[in-house]
Amino acid sequence: MLKSRKHVFWEAMVMTIAIFLVGLFLGMMIEQSNSNKISSFLIESEISLADGNAFSEIIKNQNFSCDIIKNMNIEFADKVYEEAKLLEQFDGSEKLTDNLKSLHKKYDLLRTLLWTSNQESLERCKNYNLIIYLYEYETEELDKKAQQNVWSKIISDLHNNEESVLLIPIAADSELSSLNLLLSEYDIKSYPVVIINNKNVLYEIESEESLKKYLD
Amino acid sequence: MEFLTYLYLFYTFVAFYFLFIYILVYFQNRKQIYEVVKPNKIYSLSIVVPCYNEAGTIGKNIEAILASNYGGLKKLIVVDDCSTDNSFEIIKGYAKKDKRVMAVQTPKNTGRAAGAKNFGAKFVKTELIGFSDADSYPEKDAISKMIGFFNDKKMGAVTSRVLVSNKKNKLAKIQAIEYKIIAFTRKLLGFLESIYVTNGPLSIYRKSAFDDVGGFDINNLTEDIEITWHFVSKGWKVEMAIPSVAFTNVPTNIKSWFKQRVRWNIGGLQTISKYKSKFFQCGMLGLFIMPFFIMSWFLGITGLFFLVYRLGRYLIGKILVAKYSVASQVALVRYEDLSLNPSILFFFGLVLFALGFTYTIIAMAYSRENNFKHRVHDIFIYSIFYLLAYPPLLIISFYKFMKGENKW
């Protein structure tokens, strides 16, 4: 009757370890696959950014239409924005590895470059609005998280409803020296914060309507 | 990885481990679950029933035991623990009608079932001694299906399967499911020599084993758990006869259910405390039963804090988002909020739930009752909500235990 007594504990342990290892392996595979997906997007975006920069250099002293510049920049920014949204989604399901964290940082760098590359175009053309949304990625404060959640929605609505808005959300706590240098010019006290057209720094957003008055 | 992820993985690992133990034991022994051993001889048996203010049920209990088809039943000793109702009059009435019934009364109220049981045990002169609660009703063949296990001279105790008699409302119906799961699990634990309790509704002990452990511990709130651990610690075997059924009344309101469960938990803690020196010693008691109990407590209590922490943060986060959303006139919920990217932890949880639910269904299938079918939604309520009540109960019980509250 008790023939199984001696072995069942080890057998159960072996089964548990086996299913656990399979589960962890599958989990890591899924996370790796997500990471690979984002990585391939990132490579494309990096190429697009480099292409955009080369384009800017070429047209610098020529009379190219500002509309072309605007459309190219907004199109590229929107692409990066959509990829970032996907990254955010994958971010929440990443439990076993830290692959996406470094990708997040890479995207922040890409978006910082996009911000800098737009300084001159905006100055020259003035035919679109540049919204930089700076938030804290690593914060554990519930109030801040909730505030950032709602701000994202307001800014996203504005971006969807207005035609000429170039939106660049950047995690301010990415520890990127280039970003830190850029931010030091604005003397920012706390996050989240919104910078519109490189001149208006907003620590409070009441609604989408309240943002519109800062747009050109 | 975050600390909470490690914690979650640890929980998952332990849950899988215990579940696999049960699954393996089930598959390796499933043909023996309903095993009934034929007795080598007629063992003489006395049954002791403690009674305190049980006028409503004691008669039915006595009749159920007297109706047993076991020929070796010599005495039914019904111990009135100085009831304030007319229980003793009823008992004396039965004693007059059937000479096997002995009506005795404690000199003063002992305050606990253990006291009345020990008092009744003094009158027992048979090889076996059985105990039944005054609100329980063993089936006609319940005793005879237990006796054969005593062919093994090291068998100290045999316990029965308890089913719920008064399935009057939702709470009782859910407890009926719980009792079936408990009975099935206990039988599986029996294959590991790890039965940790011989229940009150019907258990039979070898009298020499009962004397060897000195009877019930009157200071323990769950004397049936304590005596079982005592048997195991002294090297006596404990078995369960799943075909042997005793029906019992369960609490039908939350207050009495809560009181009963707290008492069970405090009794469990008293027992762990009493036998702490046996931890990782003394065969299956120290190697499995005690770690199993302690692990259940640890996981139950820490799990609740974990759950409350996560749930609390989630809810506070949602409230804050709602507050800011309303102030900014932004939609509360959007499609992006609903898009799911489940993590591996979610899949682990899903597999665990599926395995646990399958186990529940198998356990239920082994405890079918004639003329009664459980509703599927009751099984879901049991599996999802009822089990969630355990951890808070553990914490309350632990608090009361630490405060020294050990009233019946």
Side-chain angles (χ1 to χ4, degrees):
Chain A
M1 185 188 297
L2 301 170
K3 64 182 178 192
S4 63
R5 183 168 64 90
K6 287 179 191 168
H7 304 294
V8 75
F9 296 105
W10 293 113
E11 288 166 357
M13 183 58 80
V14 169
M15 282 177 77
T16 307
I17 290 171
I19 199 160
F20 224 69
L21 289 179
V22 169
L24 290 179
F25 180 71
L26 281 176
M28 284 179 180
M29 292 265 285
I30 293 168
E31 289 183 7
Q32 190 59 50
S33 146
N34 290 345
S35 162
N36 290 344
K37 202 179 281 179
I38 296 292
S39 287
S40 63
F41 285 145
L42 184 68
I43 289 168
E44 279 177 33
S45 296
E46 278 171 341
I47 293 168
S48 300
L49 183 73
D51 186 34
N53 285 342
F55 183 84
S56 298
E57 282 299 314
I58 294 165
I59 65 167
K60 198 178 271 179
N61 299 313
Q62 297 175 36
N63 286 330
F64 271 90
S65 158
C66 274
D67 281 345
I68 296 176
I69 298 170
K70 181 186 90 173
N71 291 339
M72 193 192 76
N73 281 339
I74 289 180
E75 196 180 313
F76 176 62
D78 285 354
K79 182 176 175 286
V80 174
Y81 178 68
E82 288 305 319
E83 286 166 17
K85 280 209 291 195
L86 186 68
L87 176 64
E88 294 282 336
Q89 279 184 25
F90 287 158
D91 227 10
S93 63
E94 188 185 62
K95 298 290 176 190
L96 306 173
T97 59
D98 281 337
N99 298 338
L100 293 182
K101 266 191 182 169
S102 53
L103 283 175
H104 209 286
K105 207 166 174 175
K106 274 186 172 181
Y107 260 100
D108 285 322
L109 180 60
L110 188 77
R111 287 180 286 201
T112 305
L113 288 170
L114 183 61
W115 183 11
T116 52
S117 71
N118 266 279
Q119 309 263 18
E120 207 174 307
S121 310
L122 188 70
E123 190 65 33
R124 185 183 147 199
C125 295
K126 292 191 173 65
N127 62 342
Y128 64 97
N129 290 286
L130 175 66
I131 299 182
I132 308 296
Y133 169 47
L134 295 157
Y135 64 96
E136 279 186 31
Y137 174 58
E138 300 271 8
T139 187
E140 285 298 311
E141 287 175 50
L142 290 175
D143 192 66
K144 188 165 274 182
K145 277 186 166 185
Q147 195 184 3
Q148 292 183 166
N149 180 303
V150 175
W151 277 38
S152 299
K153 287 175 183 168
I154 296 172
I155 296 164
S156 171
D157 285 347
L158 181 73
H159 172 244
N160 293 335
N161 297 335
E162 294 290 320
E163 271 189 12
S164 302
V165 168
L166 195 152
L167 171 62
I168 309 176
I170 306 174
D173 53 354
S174 299
E175 300 300 326
L176 296 168
S177 47
S178 55
L179 177 65
N180 290 344
L181 185 66
L182 206 52
L183 294 178
S184 65
E185 289 176 24
Y186 293 92
D187 191 27
I188 292 166
K189 302 277 189 298
S190 66
Y191 297 98
V193 73
V194 170
I195 304 172
I196 299 178
N197 295 333
N198 294 327
K199 54 189 179 194
N200 298 305
V201 179
L202 309 177
Y203 291 95
E204 294 287 333
I205 301 181
E206 284 169 15
S207 64
E208 186 189 337
E209 289 305 311
S210 70
L211 276 179
K212 280 182 182 169
K213 65 183 175 195
Y214 294 99
L215 300 181
D216 292 331
Chain B
M1 267 200 288
E2 289 178 4
F3 170 73
L4 285 178
T5 305
Y6 280 114
L7 193 67
Y8 189 92
L9 288 174
F10 172 70
Y11 266 71
T12 311
F13 189 90
V14 173
F16 268 122
Y17 181 59
F18 281 111
L19 208 52
F20 280 134
I21 288 177
Y22 289 134
I23 291 170
L24 285 171
V25 172
Y26 167 70
F27 279 109
Q28 290 170 3
N29 303 278
R30 63 186 184 280
K31 287 179 184 162
Q32 295 161 324
I33 288 174
Y34 273 109
E35 182 186 40
V36 176
V37 183
K38 198 179 170 190
N40 290 338
K41 61 169 192 171
I42 303 284
Y43 296 90
S44 60
L45 167 72
S46 302
I47 300 276
V48 175
V49 178
C51 172
Y52 179 71
N53 289 350
E54 300 277 7
T57 60
I58 188 65
K60 198 177 163 189
N61 168 267
I62 293 171
E63 284 169 19
I65 294 171
L66 291 178
S68 167
N69 62 3
Y70 182 60
L73 178 64
K74 301 295 176 195
K75 284 282 176 203
L76 172 55
I77 301 156
V78 189
V79 185
D80 178 61
D81 201 8
C82 301
S83 298
T84 52
D85 63 5
N86 63 337
S87 296
F88 196 44
E89 304 308 315
I90 296 168
I91 299 163
K92 283 194 284 190
Y94 278 98
K96 275 182 193 168
K97 281 191 264 178
D98 193 315
K99 64 177 180 182
R100 290 178 296 173
V101 179
M102 181 190 273
V104 294
Q105 195 171 40
T106 53
K108 61 173 185 176
N109 178 255
T110 64
R112 301 219 170 141
K117 285 175 175 179
N118 283 343
F119 183 79
K122 290 176 187 168
F123 300 92
V124 174
K125 294 182 174 63
T126 47
E127 285 175 276
L128 303 178
I129 176 170
F131 292 91
S132 178
D133 289 340
D135 61 351
S136 303
Y137 322 110
E139 282 189 338
K140 196 177 176 179
D141 56 357
I143 295 171
S144 57
K145 285 177 175 170
M146 298 165 78
I147 299 294
F149 286 103
F150 287 101
N151 293 343
D152 182 345
K153 290 191 166 30
K154 288 301 289 175
M155 191 60 66
V158 179
T159 189
S160 62
R161 175 163 50 127
V162 183
L163 295 178
V164 172
S165 170
N166 57 334
K167 295 182 275 284
K168 287 174 185 168
N169 60 13
K170 190 64 85 188
L171 182 61
K173 283 175 188 166
I174 291 170
Q175 286 177 86
I177 296 169
E178 180 192 27
Y179 272 57
K180 287 179 179 176
I181 313 293
I182 289 173
F184 181 70
T185 307
R186 197 171 293 159
K187 180 63 191 175
L188 295 185
L189 288 173
F191 292 114
L192 299 172
E193 291 186 351
S194 299
I195 290 175
Y196 59 88
V197 60
T198 46
N199 60 61
L202 183 64
S203 290
I204 300 175
Y205 308 138
R206 192 181 292 279
K207 181 65 165 58
S208 56
F210 183 79
D211 292 337
D212 185 35
V213 299
F216 290 102
D217 180 353
I218 55 163
N219 295 313
N220 194 295
L221 288 185
T222 48
E223 76 286 349
D224 43 5
I225 296 180
E226 192 282 329
I227 198 169
T228 311
W229 289 35
H230 209 161
F231 283 134
V232 179
S233 72
K234 290 248 181 184
W236 291 101
K237 288 182 185 174
V238 180
E239 251 302 347
M240 181 189 182
I242 214 164
S244 164
V245 174
F247 284 92
T248 194
N249 289 332
V250 293
T252 50
N253 61 66
I254 297 285
K255 193 182 170 188
S256 47
W257 173 83
F258 177 82
K259 208 174 154 188
Q260 183 198 53
R261 296 312 166 104
V262 168
R263 180 172 65 79
W264 286 1
N265 287 331
I266 293 175
L269 281 171
Q270 287 177 320
T271 313
I272 291 173
S273 172
K274 184 173 176 178
Y275 291 92
K276 58 182 180 289
S277 63
K278 308 285 182 193
F279 196 65
F280 283 127
Q281 293 172 28
C282 205
M284 295 308 282
L285 174 66
L287 290 173
F288 184 65
I289 300 175
M290 287 191 74
F292 175 74
F293 250 69
I294 291 167
M295 188 65 89
S296 307
W297 273 86
F298 174 75
L299 293 184
I301 291 175
T302 53
L304 182 70
F305 283 115
F306 176 50
L307 186 73
V308 167
Y309 173 75
R310 290 300 292 257
L311 203 63
R313 274 186 72 86
Y314 177 80
L315 289 175
I316 293 168
K318 287 289 169 199
I319 291 166
L320 287 169
V321 167
K323 187 184 99 178
Y324 286 121
S325 297
V326 169
S328 306
Q329 296 168 324
V330 170
L332 285 175
V333 183
R334 292 181 180 202
Y335 174 73
E336 299 99 87
D337 299 329
L338 302 173
S339 60
L340 284 175
N341 263 301
S343 70
I344 191 63
L345 304 183
F346 174 80
F347 286 112
F348 267 141
L350 209 63
V351 172
L352 259 180
F353 181 78
L355 281 175
F357 194 72
T358 308
Y359 178 81
T360 303
I361 299 295
I362 293 172
M364 300 282 290
Y366 270 87
S367 302
R368 277 191 216 104
E369 284 177 77
N370 293 333
N371 308 322
F372 187 80
K373 274 191 176 179
H374 291 281
R375 292 185 176 186
V376 177
H377 69 260
D378 283 344
I379 301 174
F380 269 104
I381 292 172
Y382 166 78
S383 301
I384 298 168
F385 300 107
Y386 185 82
L387 293 179
L388 279 178
Y390 281 12
L393 272 169
L394 290 178
I395 291 175
I396 293 163
S397 309
F398 188 74
Y399 173 72
K400 285 179 178 270
F401 172 73
M402 294 306 283
K403 270 181 70 184
E405 283 183 32
N406 57 354
K407 286 178 193 158
W408 182 267

